[in-house]
Amino acid sequence: MDAHVSPSRVAGRTRAPPSKSYTHRAVLAAGYSDEAVVRDALVSADTKATMRAVEAFGGSVDRDGQTVEVAGFGGRPGTPGDVVNCENSGTTMRLVTGCAALGDGLTVLTGDASLRSRPHGPLLDAVFDLDGRAESTRRNGQAPLVVGDGMTGGTVEIPGDVSSQFITALLMAGAVTEEGIDVELTTELKSSPYVDITLELLADFGVEATRTDDGFSVPGGQSYAPEGGAYSVPGDFSSISYLLAAGAVAGAEGEDVVIEGARPSAQGDSAIVDIVRDMGATVDWDEDAGELTVSAADLTGTTVDVGDTPDLLPTIAVLGAIADGDTVIENCEHVRYKETDRVSAMAEELAKMGANVTEQQDRLTVHGGETDLVGAAVDGRGDHRIVMSLAVAGLVADGETTIAGSEHVDVSFPNFFEAMSDLGAEMTEN
C-alpha cells in the first residue's frame, strides 16, 4: 500500500501504542512460566510472531484485545511440529533462538527475505559453546537456523556491538538452565538500555539476573512467575518519537499535542524527550500521569550519539532535515543491521525530498540549513520506522509525499495513520 501525506498541522490528544520490546519479552516470559497474563500488550505483526513461537513450543495463547493469556511450557520448550516462521521480526528470532536451544529436539527458525539477511552468528556460537546445537543452514550466520539439543548453561563470551538481543536471549533462557549463564562481553555493549528492559522485566517475573564486571549473570533453576500472575506493558517510546516529532514540527499554532501512555520505564528511547527539547521544542512530561505535551517550535540542529538508541535514528534524521543548522547522528553503524540499512535508507529517501545529507559509515549528518523539503515519491523500504519518520517529514514538505509500503507500520504501530489523522494530519492509504 501507499500512504499519501499532504502538508498539515496537528493538535489534540492521542495515545502511544504499548511497547513492542516489552511485549516480546513479556509474551516469551509468560511462555517460560506455567501460566501468566500479559495486559496492555502490543498486538502487531512482530509480536504475533512471538505468540506463535510460544504456541509452537507447546504453550497456548488466548488473546482478547490487548490482554494475552498464556498457558506456558514451564521452562521446558517442546519440539515444534513444523518450522517456526518469525516473519520480519528480528526480536522474535533472537529471543526464540535462546528458547529453542533448551529443547531436547531441534527447532528450525526462518523468516522473510529481510530477516534471512540479518546476522545471528555470535548467538549461534554462544549456544554451541553452552553445549547446545545452533547452525545456519547456509553456514553464514543467517536464517534459516537449526537450534536445540538441550543447552545446559555455563560461561560464554559474546560481542556486545552486534545486537543486544543476543544477551537478552541468553539471559531469558539461562534462568531455566541447570547451571545458569554468565555472559562475558568481548566488545562494548551497544543498545544497552534494551538489556536494562530485559533485567527489569525478568525481575517483574520473579527472575534474578544481574550486571557483572564482565557482562551479565543469571543463576539457573529459576521459575517465571509475575506477581499476581499478571504483567502490564508500558507505552512505547520508539513509537512516541513520531508523535512527539510531529507535534514539534507541525503543531497547530497556539495548540498542543498531548501523548498519553508515556510512563517512565527502562526504555532508552525515552531520550527522544531530551533530544526534542535540546533542538528547541517545549516539551512537558507529567511522569505521574504518563503524559507528554509538545508544541511546535523553530528547531536548531544538534549532535546525538545513537549507540544506545538505534531506533531513534530515522526520527532524528527527519527532525534534522527540518531544523536550522546541522544535525549529526553519531555512532550509528549498528543501525545498518535492522530491517533495512536505516542509515542509507534515511540518507537516500530524505535526499529525494530535497534534503542535503552526508552519509558516512558510522555517522549521518543532515544539513538542515541547506534543506527545503518537498513532496516526493519515497520508499519505506519495508521498514516500519522508515515509513513513519517519512510521514512526519511529509507534514511540512511542500507538496504531497507518497510513501510506498505503508502497510509495514503494522509491525509496531498498527493504527499510526489513524492516530495521525485524528490529530489533524492529512494522511490517507490506498
Side-chain angles (χ1 to χ4, degrees):
M1 295 179 66
D2 290 344
H4 304 277
V5 184
S6 296
S8 42
R9 293 289 170 176
V10 294
R13 182 177 289 269
T14 189
R15 173 168 285 275
S19 167
K20 184 163 74 83
S21 296
Y22 277 87
T23 299
H24 277 301
R25 289 160 174 77
V27 168
L28 184 57
Y32 277 120
S33 75
D34 291 330
E35 60 180 6
V37 176
V38 180
R39 298 194 176 112
D40 303 321
L42 174 71
V43 180
S44 70
D46 274 21
T47 60
K48 287 177 182 176
T50 297
M51 294 176 199
R52 290 193 298 271
V54 167
E55 292 178 321
F57 289 130
S60 66
V61 177
D62 185 13
R63 179 169 56 84
D64 182 8
Q66 292 181 299
T67 299
V68 182
E69 297 184 4
V70 180
F73 42 81
R76 290 292 104 189
T79 302
D82 200 351
V83 170
V84 177
N85 188 345
C86 301
E87 302 290 350
N88 186 241
S89 178
T91 305
T92 301
M93 179 159 283
R94 272 84 178 260
L95 270 56
V96 165
T97 293
C99 186
L102 300 168
D104 293 331
L106 298 176
T107 297
V108 178
L109 302 171
T110 191
D112 67 9
S114 172
L115 187 54
R116 295 196 307 273
S117 70
R118 297 176 67 178
H120 305 283
L123 180 56
L124 303 181
D125 292 342
V127 170
F128 178 81
D129 291 343
L130 294 166
D131 293 329
R133 176 179 172 183
E135 300 177 51
S136 161
T137 60
R138 293 178 288 165
R139 302 190 187 280
N140 62 357
Q142 298 171 356
L145 309 179
V146 179
V147 187
D149 275 1
M151 179 176 70
T152 58
T155 300
V156 67
E157 293 185 343
I158 194 168
D161 58 354
V162 180
S163 174
S164 65
Q165 293 168 353
F166 299 161
I167 289 92
T168 289
L170 294 172
L171 293 177
M172 293 191 74
V176 297
T177 61
E178 294 178 9
E179 302 177 33
I181 293 178
D182 293 318
V183 178
E184 297 181 355
L185 298 177
T186 59
T187 63
E188 179 185 1
L189 178 61
K190 296 286 183 72
S191 305
S192 176
Y194 287 98
V195 184
D196 293 335
I197 287 173
T198 301
L199 296 177
E200 179 187 286
L201 182 133
L202 288 175
D204 288 340
F205 272 80
V207 171
E208 175 192 350
T210 57
R211 286 182 179 267
T212 65
D213 291 341
D214 298 321
F216 299 88
S217 178
V218 59
Q222 300 190 70
S223 299
Y224 282 77
E227 184 176 353
Y231 174 83
S232 295
V233 176
D236 189 289
F237 271 90
S238 304
S239 296
I240 284 171
S241 75
Y242 314 111
L243 302 172
L244 195 61
V249 303
E253 185 175 356
E255 298 188 64
D256 298 324
V257 171
V258 180
I259 305 164
E260 302 173 354
R263 179 161 57 88
S265 66
Q267 295 175 75
D269 283 352
S270 62
I272 191 63
V273 176
D274 286 334
I275 292 168
V276 173
R277 283 173 175 160
D278 288 345
M279 297 182 80
T282 299
V283 183
D284 178 64
W285 188 2
D286 185 337
E287 296 186 1
D288 291 334
E291 290 187 354
L292 284 164
T293 302
V294 59
S295 55
D298 293 328
L299 304 182
T300 56
T302 189
T303 298
V304 182
D305 183 321
V306 294
D308 285 338
T309 55
D311 286 346
L312 292 183
L313 181 141
T315 310
I316 298 167
V318 166
L319 290 169
I322 299 163
D324 184 33
D326 287 354
T327 292
V328 182
I329 305 173
E330 299 179 324
N331 198 11
C332 63
E333 183 173 7
H334 59 309
V335 190
R336 295 184 181 277
Y337 307 108
K338 295 291 185 176
E339 283 85 336
T340 188
D341 178 343
R342 288 178 176 160
V343 181
S344 288
M346 289 309 298
E348 293 167 8
E349 299 307 322
L350 283 176
K352 293 177 184 177
M353 298 181 71
N356 188 328
V357 183
T358 301
E359 178 188 350
Q360 297 167 281
Q361 185 64 22
D362 200 26
R363 176 179 295 197
L364 187 68
T365 303
V366 186
H367 307 286
E370 303 170 27
T371 292
D372 292 310
L373 291 179
V374 295
V378 292
D379 188 350
R381 307 290 185 102
D383 187 322
H384 54 127
R385 304 208 184 282
I386 304 298
V387 172
M388 289 185 280
S389 59
L390 293 174
V392 173
L395 292 174
V396 295
D398 183 11
E400 183 178 273
T401 298
T402 300
I403 308 168
S406 62
E407 70 275 9
H408 291 284
V409 301
D410 189 49
V411 166
S412 62
F413 198 159
N415 67 327
F416 171 76
F417 289 105
E418 292 86 346
M420 292 298 294
S421 295
D422 289 345
L423 291 173
E426 295 184 26
M427 296 185 180
T428 59
E429 286 186 282
N430 59 31

